[in-house]
Every structure is written in structure tokens, then in C-alpha cells.
């Protein structure tokens, strides 16, 4: 096997690698609009986000109902915060596994934004993915409300809100750090260098991504209910449509987008800087 060295070799030559870094996506690739595979990816993102919101919001509502002391229920009943975190992380694992080969399994505008900044997807694909994800999220929460309207309204609709005792700066910071963990994990798990070594393990990428979502939920549910996904926050706010959910909505867009941008810059221009330079050098001198 050839040596795996990303930096430059002697005399300006680059040693052979056992993996290939894909070229950057075109900034505006209108040709994608003519391909069925593009629309198939949009459908996959829509359905995946819809299922994600349906399962996770239903889990949140069910837990609050089972633990409601006003109903003489067991306050320790239900799945608890741990179970909610597992629902979010587990669904991401399942859905990324199912859709990765079709759309890349983003299921999150912040993930799409980070990948766009790293030139993994074009602007056209990024914008359309975000639209599909937001529409899917709205439909998913709508299904929860349609199936159990009384419980949905009584227990807050699964909407993300800043918890009492925390100011907006803390909430924003929690969303930035939480999204950074998620998007950084996405970049690391889908790195061509890693895939070259571990392609024989089909669940390798979805598993750490799902665990990242699980761990972030454990840390930030008490603060913001955990957004780290603007589509998730928007879908719940649109269907629940109460003032408190809209008051804090900006946190669940600004925070995740900042966190995604930091993760993209950290992975692409610090951890993988050698690979980026190598691609640039190869393009300037393809005979090297």
C-alpha cells in the first residue's frame, strides 16, 4: 500500500495516497436542476426530516405526559431525558444510514451549511436541501399534532425554548458548541481518508454522527431543549405557533450556523490543510 502522506514530498512532489479527495463542488451548479438524482435526493431529505421530527417530538410529548404530576403520573415514569436523547441520536443514526447513499443524509440545514462552506455541495443543492428539510420538519410535527392534538398543545409541542434561569447568551453558546460537535463529527466520519481505511464497516459514519447528537442532547436539553438543527426548531415553532417559541427562534438559527461554520473551517483549513494545499498544487501543475 502506498504511503498516506497529505503534505508535499521532496522536490515539490506528492507521494501517492490510497484515497482520493473529491474536487470542490461548483459554487452554482444549475445542471443539477436537470437531473432526477437531484430531485430524488430532495425527496429523501424531506422524508427523512419528516420522520425524524415525527418520532422525536412524539417521544418528547409522550415523556411529558407520562411524567405529568398533575395527572398523578409517576414523575420518574417515561423514557426521561436519557430516552429523549436516545430518540434523537438513534433516529439520526437510522436515517443517515438509510439516506447517505441518496442525498448524503444531511437532515439538518446546519450540516448542509457546513458542507456548503467546505465546498462539498453547490449553492443550489444547499438551498434546496434546506427548503426540503424545513418542509419535512413542519410536516413531521404536523403529524404529531394531528395524531395527539390535546397532548401536543398541553405539553408545549416539542418546541425549543430557552429554559428559565439561562440568558440568551448562554443559549446561543450552547447551540454553537453543540452544533460544532455535530458538524465536526460529520466531517470526520465522512472524510475520504477515513473511508479508505474503514469502507468495510457500513455503519461507521452514521454511528458516530448519531452518538454526537445523543451526547449533545444530554448536555443541552436542560438549557435550550437542544436545537442544533434549524429545521427541527422551525418545524416545531410553526406548528406550535406560540410567542415563546418564536421569541427564541433566532438562537436556533444563528447558533447552529455559527457552529457549523467554525466546524467547517476547523476541519478543512486546520486538520486537513495539507490535503487542501495538495489539491491546489495538483490543479496548478497536473503533471506533478
Amino acid at each position: 500500500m502506498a504511503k498516506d502522506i497529505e503534505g508535499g514530498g521532496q522536490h515539490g512532489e506528492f507521494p501517492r495516497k490510497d484515497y482520493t479527495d473529491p474536487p470542490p463542488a461548483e459554487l452554482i451548479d444549475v445542471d443539477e436542476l436537470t437531473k432526477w438524482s437531484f430531485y430524488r435526493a430532495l425527496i429523501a431529505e424531506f422524508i427523512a426530516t419528516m420522520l425524524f421530527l415525527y418520532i422525536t417530538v412524539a417521544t418528547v410529548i409522550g415523556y411529558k405526559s407520562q411524567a405529568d404530576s398533575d395527572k398523578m403520573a409517576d414523575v420518574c415514569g417515561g423514557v426521561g431525558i436519557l430516552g429523549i436523547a436516545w430518540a434523537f441520536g438513534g433516529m439520526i443514526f437510522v436515517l443517515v444510514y438509510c439516506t447517505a447513499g441518496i442525498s448524503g443524509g444531511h437532515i439538518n440545514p446546519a450540516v448542509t451549511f457546513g458542507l456548503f462552506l467546505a465546498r462539498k455541495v453547490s449553492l443550489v443543492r444547499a438551498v434546496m436541501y434546506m427548503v426540503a428539510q424545513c418542509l419535512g420538519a413542519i410536516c413531521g410535527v404536523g403529524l404529531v399534532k394531528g395524531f395527539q392534538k390535546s397532548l401536543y398543545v398541553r405539553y408545549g409541542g416539542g418546541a425549543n425554548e430557552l429554559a428559565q434561569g439561562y440568558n440568551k447568551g448562554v443559549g446561543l453558546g450552547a447551540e454553537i458548541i453543540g452544533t460544532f460537535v455535530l458538524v465536526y463529527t460529520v466531517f470526520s466520519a465522512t472524510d475520504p481518508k477515513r473511508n479508505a481505511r474503514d469502507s468495510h464497516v457500513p455503519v461507521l459514519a452514521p454511528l458516530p454522527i448519531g452518538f454526537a447528537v445523543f451526547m449533545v442532547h444530554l448536555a443541552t436539553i436542560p438549557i435550550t431543549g437542544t436545537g442544533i438543527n434549524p429545521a427541527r426548531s422551525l418545524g416545531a415553532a410553526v406548528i406550535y405557533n406560540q410567542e415563546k417559541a418564536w421569541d427564541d427562534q433566532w438562537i436556533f438559527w444563528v447558533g447552529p450556523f455559527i457552529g457549523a461554520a467554525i466546524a467547517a473551517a476547523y476541519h478543512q483549513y486546520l486538520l486537513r490543510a495539507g490535503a487542501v494545499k495538495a489539491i491546489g498544487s495538483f490543479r496548478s501543475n497536473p503533471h506533478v
Side-chain angles (χ1 to χ4, degrees):
M1 181 178 292
K3 287 186 177 180
D4 168 27
I5 302 176
E6 294 179 343
Q10 293 181 349
H11 308 299
E13 295 185 357
F14 293 94
R16 294 179 59 192
K17 300 182 295 186
D18 60 351
Y19 67 96
T20 301
D21 286 294
E26 293 185 28
L27 181 60
I28 301 177
D29 187 2
V30 294
D31 288 342
E32 289 189 305
L33 298 175
T34 65
K35 299 176 181 177
W36 163 241
S37 60
F38 174 68
Y39 296 98
R40 184 175 59 190
L42 292 180
I43 294 171
E45 287 292 310
F46 172 84
I47 296 296
T49 313
M50 182 183 70
L51 294 175
F52 176 60
L53 266 293
Y54 170 71
I55 295 297
T56 54
V57 172
T59 300
V60 171
I61 300 301
Y63 162 66
K64 290 184 176 180
S65 175
Q66 292 172 316
D68 188 354
S69 58
D70 292 338
K71 295 169 57 177
M72 302 301 291
D74 181 4
V75 295
C76 296
V79 297
I81 290 180
L82 182 64
I84 292 173
W86 272 120
F88 279 88
M91 279 304 292
I92 287 296
F93 165 65
V94 170
L95 294 170
V96 171
Y97 178 81
C98 292
T99 61
I102 302 172
S103 67
H106 297 192
I107 322 173
N108 184 336
V111 171
T112 300
F113 180 66
L115 293 173
F116 164 69
L117 293 180
R119 300 291 301 276
K120 304 292 186 182
V121 296
S122 70
L123 178 61
V124 172
R125 184 174 290 264
V127 171
M128 295 301 292
Y129 269 26
M130 292 180 191
V131 171
Q133 291 156 358
C134 290
L135 292 176
I138 292 170
C139 292
V141 181
L143 287 176
V144 178
K145 183 177 181 180
F147 290 156
Q148 41 186 330
K149 183 174 181 179
S150 60
L151 293 179
Y152 177 87
V153 174
R154 178 171 182 174
Y155 298 113
N160 287 123
E161 299 176 358
L162 188 62
Q164 292 184 350
Y166 295 97
N167 61 44
K168 295 183 184 296
V170 173
L172 181 63
E175 288 296 308
I176 291 173
I177 295 172
T179 311
F180 173 86
V181 172
L182 170 60
V183 178
Y184 173 40
T185 303
V186 169
F187 275 105
S188 299
T190 59
D191 193 321
K193 179 179 179 180
R194 182 184 300 275
N195 290 339
R197 318 296 194 278
D198 304 316
S199 59
H200 61 286
V201 186
V203 299
L204 191 68
L207 189 59
I209 294 171
F211 262 106
V213 172
F214 167 68
M215 299 303 294
V216 170
H217 274 76
L218 289 181
T220 57
I221 282 177
I223 304 174
T224 61
T226 307
I228 69 172
N229 184 336
R232 176 261 186 273
S233 301
L234 178 67
V238 167
I239 301 300
Y240 186 53
N241 199 27
Q242 297 295 320
E243 184 177 354
K244 178 62 175 175
W246 288 116
D247 284 344
D248 300 328
Q249 183 67 199
W250 68 272
I251 293 175
F252 303 105
W253 284 84
V254 176
F257 274 50
I258 292 176
I262 296 172
Y266 174 62
H267 185 269
Q268 290 296 104
Y269 301 109
L270 184 61
L271 299 185
R272 296 284 270 127
V276 174
K277 292 178 181 177
I279 294 174
S281 298
F282 178 79
R283 287 189 162 188
S284 63
N285 185 7
H287 299 293
V288 172

